[in-house]
Amino acid sequence: MDRENQNLFAALRAAFPSDLDAVAVETDDGLHYSWRDIDRATAMLANLLRSLDLPEGARVAVQVEKSVEAMMLYLATLRAGYVFLPLNTAYQSAEIEYFIGNAEPAVVVCSPAHFGWVSKLAFQAGTRHVFTLGDDRSGSLLERAMHHAAEHEVVRRTSGDLAAILYTSGTTGRSKGAMLTHGNLLSNARVLKDYWGWRTPSQEGADVLLHALPIFHVHGLFVALHGALISGSRMLWMNRFDARRAIDMLRRATVFMGVPTLYTRMLAEPALDRDTVRGMRLFISGSAPLLLETFDVWRERTGHTILERYGMSETLMLSSNPYDPRDGERRGGTVGFPLPGVGLRVRGDDGAPVAAGEVGGIEVTGPNVFIGYWRMPEKTREEFTADGWFKTGDVGRIDERGYVTIVGRSKDLIISGGYNVYPAEIEGFINELPGVAESAVVGVPHPDFGEVGVAVVVPRPTAEVEGAAIVAALKARLANFKIPKHCDVVAELPRNTMGKVQKNVLRDRYKALFSDAPTM
Ligand code: MLC
Ligand code: AMP
């Protein structure tokens, strides 16, 4: 018997509502896209990709501003059976050069304004096709796709076939590409649809998602987008988050997903009140710790209890506070229960299980867990236990009722406004600057971004080094969210008796630098 096509796009397409002329996406600047538009545009783009005669498993690397067309390019890549590789628009040339060199994409799509330098890097790395796509529907990609048919049979894929590669930085060394399969993405989307009670258009109170996150990371690209598509739900679409506009759009939405910064920014707006969120069913937060204070104030102001969940690029979503009150209350400061089908355990440093409530390393398993790092078998082996569980690098505990709390990270990672910043990467760049002997980057509390990086730099003897000049030099080389918000030049770094830099001492020294940062 012919097996069902396990291409993720086939499942998403099957969930489109029967009325294909209904509105699927409405942008904040007034554009409307029907389900039929999505079907036809993704078919044209998929036909364009197929016409390029790319090798099986070809990567399509995309660094473009958020737009509905960028979403369609993602869907078309799935539809055509290729591998999507999204890149943060903040990445600069040194970062892009690495990703393109490492992933060897057959196709690169970039913003029209960046075509000069991106195409040069891509052609040098052997990429044959470079297209452009602007957030105003400009660029060569759509021009070329217009000449292709608006029908396309979804390319067959098995659940184990690669669908996307997401680069994630490492504690040491360069970024690693987490390889996610059609099965990883689809199983997670289905679990979340059920667990969060998404309501399809045929149900009463059909859901409408306010999509306000970037679409180059797990949260906006997979959790939010797949959630809406696999439920046939309409999306209200913002290319860029703006708190005031978002509050206004919440009046017509039922589901919202954000990193904590989006919640604190909306709370800073007097317009946010119970009336604006009257029609809302669910607010979800993730990607970074949601402060208990934000959780409490949000509930007081809006009457809604934010549902916090936990995940990562390598594993997609792992745990969630309950949606259904019969499963328990949503507890601030926790990330809820392991999702159905996800195994989540806590292990001590010796790898042995810890008692309930005891802290240790979080390890996970399930159909959502990635299949390894792109062309890094050694790294992949290091991150899995002998019995096949993935070591998240997060430190936490599970209480007697089963709620998971993340208390810290064993990986040296700063999460700033929902973006990951690896100190080792920033230190590497700083240490290469003239006059620098060594440096340390630590995360400190920040009222807007939750946490931000602070650099502490030791100059070489007799060298004159200034903090502001270091920050300026980094700006030319690194994505803007990675730039330390402060840089101090000091005579020496605090070290323990083993000679290791005591980052905890530095974190303590700078913890009140952004003084109105919440302390909870
Ligand atoms: C912007 N800036 C940041 C920053 N974002 N600094 C630190 N951290 C950030 N996250 C700085 C810029 O460098 C710039 O500084 C200034 O702020 C203005 O830039 P901007 O681009 O205009 O900022 P803004 O549009 O306000 O962006 C803020 C934001 C954005 C919060 C809307 O960062 C954002 O969309 N974050 C969401 C990230 C996300 O989707 N994460 C999910 C990862 S998935 P200067 O000095 O240059 O002016 C994941 C797994 C999971 O983690 O579980 O979900
Ligand atoms: P990324 O590698 O960008 O996918 O980021 C994943 C990391 O974000 C996880 O390993 C956690 O450290 C962190 N994270 C995600 N969700 C939460 C959450 N709700 N609370 C605390 N940390 C989180």
Side-chain angles (χ1 to χ4, degrees), residues 347-426:
R347 288 288 190 259
D349 286 343
D350 54 359
V354 300
E358 295 290 317
V359 167
I362 297 178
E363 298 175 355
V364 296
T365 183
N368 47 305
V369 175
F370 77 136
I371 55 168
Y373 293 112
W374 172 255
R375 290 180 181 163
M376 288 187 186
E378 300 263 300
K379 283 263 175 246
T380 305
R381 261 192 302 277
E382 279 169 24
E383 304 297 333
F384 281 87
T385 63
D387 60 347
W389 290 55
F390 176 66
K391 298 185 255 181
T392 62
D394 292 309
V395 174
R397 59 168 183 266
I398 308 178
D399 71 15
E400 257 132 29
R401 295 168 62 196
Y403 283 90
V404 179
T405 301
I406 297 172
V407 298
R409 302 167 202 132
S410 60
K411 50 194 176 191
D412 192 10
L413 163 70
I414 300 167
I415 304 185
S416 189
Y419 287 141
N420 290 4
V421 179
Y422 280 85
E425 184 189 9
I426 320 301

Side-chain angles (χ1 to χ4, degrees), residues 287-289 308-313 335 394 406 411 415 420:
S287 308
E308 184 170 5
R309 61 43 170 197
Y310 158 57
M312 60 193 299
S313 302
V335 292
D394 292 309
I406 297 172
K411 50 194 176 191
I415 304 185
N420 290 4

